Amino acid sequence: MFLLRAALVLGGLALLTCLMMAILTGQRAYLRWAGRVFLVVLLLVLVVLGMRFGGRLMGIAGF
């Protein structure tokens, strides 16, 4: 869980940095990078939650 929290904090900082750079410079490339960072963090969270609770869900569903 420590690695997940660290990744969320770093991803959040990167997202804020990209959004601030997009506002300050007016370049849309930073918005694309912000979207990519958001998707990577979201994917990481979903993978970790799937690893934590996937077995329980599969046991309940009867697989």
Side-chain angles (χ1 to χ4, degrees):
M1 287 303 285
F2 175 74
L3 290 176
L4 176 64
R5 288 182 185 154
L8 285 174
V9 168
L10 289 176
L13 288 175
L15 186 65
L16 285 175
T17 303
C18 289
L19 291 175
M20 285 192 329
M21 289 298 291
I23 291 170
L24 293 175
T25 62
Q27 294 181 5
R28 295 181 59 90
Y30 291 111
L31 287 176
R32 285 192 293 272
W33 277 106
R36 290 175 186 154
V37 168
F38 176 73
L39 288 177
V40 167
V41 169
L42 181 65
L43 182 65
L44 177 68
V45 168
L46 289 176
V47 165
V48 170
L49 289 176
M51 287 172 42
R52 281 187 67 109
F53 300 112
R56 292 180 190 170
L57 291 174
M58 300 237 344
I60 291 170
F63 288 106

